[in-house]
Amino acid sequence: MSPRESKKARTARAADIYDILLTEYPDAECALRHASPYELAVATILSAQCTDARVNMVTPELFRRYPDPESLATALPHELEDVIRSTGFFRNKTRNLIGMANALIDEHGGELPRNMKELSALPGIGRKTANVILGNAFGVDEGVVVDTHVKRLSGRMRFTTHTNPVKIEKDLMAIFPRGVWTMLAHLLIYHGRQVCNARKPRCNQCAISHLCPSSAV
């Protein structure tokens, strides 16, 4: 965020970037495979410090064994650990998954709540995870998911000067309209994976290089 760029100019540049990225990645979507809000919640908890690809390898067997909160709530920890071991931090994730399932049954009738306050109070679900669930399972644009890609690109594009995800999210929410918050994260993640990677961004192949203050072109 350059001090010489007014908020009006930054907002206009952000809109242009969004439109171009949407043209580049019209099919951008959540990479975690799921068939229900419950499945997305489980997959998102597993995705902490783990790739989406690895989570997608684990969840078919997980959902076969534990297709709903009721079955997950009564899972034997050592058996659940064996299923999710390859995602890393499996003991902590096991506690969170079983805790989340029990909270859903005890407090929400077995259904995922549709608001930030109640979602983020569930074991294993913070603001980022709640944003994923609200945006992708319920179509609610409550905030912007800030993962490593969104964090990196937001800084490179000078949309923020912060490194804290909550502050980055606030900066993004201030310049992008609410209705695009969920898709914005998908677009930035896709672009971060395919073009604007961490070590060597391919600025010469970037469709928005002319709008990016960090472009090497």
Side-chain angles (χ1 to χ4, degrees):
M1 198 188 309
S2 170
R4 293 184 297 274
E5 184 181 37
S6 67
K7 182 178 179 181
K8 181 178 180 181
R10 187 163 57 253
T11 301
R13 181 167 62 87
D16 289 342
I17 286 175
Y18 180 88
D19 289 343
I20 293 171
L21 290 180
L22 188 61
T23 300
E24 290 287 301
Y25 314 107
D27 299 320
E29 62 182 358
C30 180
L32 295 170
R33 297 184 194 132
H34 62 281
S36 68
Y38 159 74
E39 290 190 357
L40 180 57
V42 170
T44 309
I45 289 174
L46 290 178
S47 70
Q49 305 298 313
C50 181
T51 66
D52 292 344
R54 168 57 60 182
V55 172
N56 288 336
M57 293 173 65
V58 168
T59 48
E61 175 62 15
L62 178 63
F63 296 149
R64 186 188 70 79
R65 293 194 190 192
Y66 312 106
D68 47 43
E70 289 75 18
S71 54
L72 184 60
T74 57
L76 296 176
H78 71 277
E79 292 183 354
L80 180 54
E81 286 176 2
D82 285 343
V83 177
I84 69 171
R85 186 177 300 270
S86 65
T87 68
F89 302 97
F90 59 91
R91 291 190 179 90
N92 188 53
K93 290 178 181 179
T94 291
R95 286 193 295 271
N96 284 334
L97 288 172
I98 294 176
M100 183 268 293
N102 276 285
L104 288 182
I105 294 168
D106 295 341
E107 301 169 20
H108 302 287
E111 299 291 330
L112 267 295
R114 299 189 179 207
N115 64 80
M116 175 62 69
K117 182 178 180 180
E118 291 180 319
L119 265 180
S120 58
L122 295 171
I125 297 181
R127 182 174 177 86
K128 174 186 169 185
T129 302
N131 274 331
V132 172
I133 297 167
L134 288 170
N136 295 282
F138 299 127
V140 176
D141 287 293
E142 181 68 26
V144 180
V145 174
V146 179
D147 74 343
T148 56
H149 299 289
V150 175
K151 178 180 178 180
R152 181 175 71 253
L153 270 66
S154 296
R156 285 178 176 171
M157 295 177 188
R158 303 293 192 271
F159 290 150
T160 185
T161 57
H162 297 293
T163 57
N164 178 278
V166 174
K167 292 182 178 180
I168 292 172
E169 182 184 8
K170 289 182 69 174
D171 284 342
L172 292 175
M173 290 164 66
I175 58 175
F176 288 92
R178 189 184 192 106
V180 307
W181 288 347
T182 298
M183 180 57 79
L184 171 65
H186 294 325
L187 295 175
L188 293 178
I189 290 169
Y190 269 56
H191 194 60
R193 286 174 173 164
Q194 299 186 33
V195 178
C196 194
N197 54 55
R199 293 187 178 180
K200 196 173 183 181
R202 295 192 285 273
C203 297
N204 62 332
Q205 300 175 26
C206 178
I208 58 171
S209 61
H210 62 295
L211 295 169
C212 178
S214 299
S215 175
V217 176

